[in-house]
Amino acid sequence: MNATVIDDRRLDRLRWKARRGLLENDLLLTKFLNAELTSLSEIELSALDQLLQLGDNDLLDTLMGRKPTSNVAIAALVARIQST
């Protein structure tokens, strides 16, 4: 199996994990992923995977800046999402 197939599967999995129960999360993440997903670095993809492990309310609080994170990579990704 080549790297492109694996990468496509990983991106598809991240898109699936980004589908959330709260409309606000869905809107923010969908807009960001449509614009930026294929340009994310390995570090940013890992940070996104970690970010998507949060529950819906914690995720929204983090994305809205109400609940800052001490993880530098996640904080940078959140800033990028907010700027999209």
Side-chain angles (χ1 to χ4, degrees):
M1 193 171 294
N2 68 36
T4 303
V5 172
I6 293 169
D7 289 343
D8 287 345
R9 286 184 184 167
R10 182 178 186 190
L11 298 180
D12 288 343
R13 187 172 20 90
L14 287 169
R15 278 192 185 279
W16 179 254
K17 288 174 74 173
R19 296 182 62 183
R20 307 308 288 226
L22 290 177
L23 178 61
E24 295 86 348
N25 285 336
D26 241 1
L27 294 173
L28 289 168
L29 292 171
T30 299
K31 182 178 177 184
F32 173 73
L33 294 176
N34 287 341
E36 304 288 337
L37 182 60
T38 57
S39 68
L40 295 178
S41 69
E42 180 61 39
I43 291 170
E44 291 167 323
L45 288 171
S46 294
L48 178 60
D49 197 28
Q50 291 175 34
L51 183 65
L52 294 175
Q53 292 178 27
L54 295 174
D56 283 342
N57 291 323
D58 289 334
L59 177 60
L60 183 60
D61 286 344
T62 301
L63 292 176
M64 298 304 289
R66 296 186 296 243
K67 187 176 184 180
T69 178
S70 60
N71 183 310
V72 176
I74 292 176
L77 181 66
V78 167
R80 192 167 169 186
I81 292 169
Q82 290 170 337
S83 69
T84 303

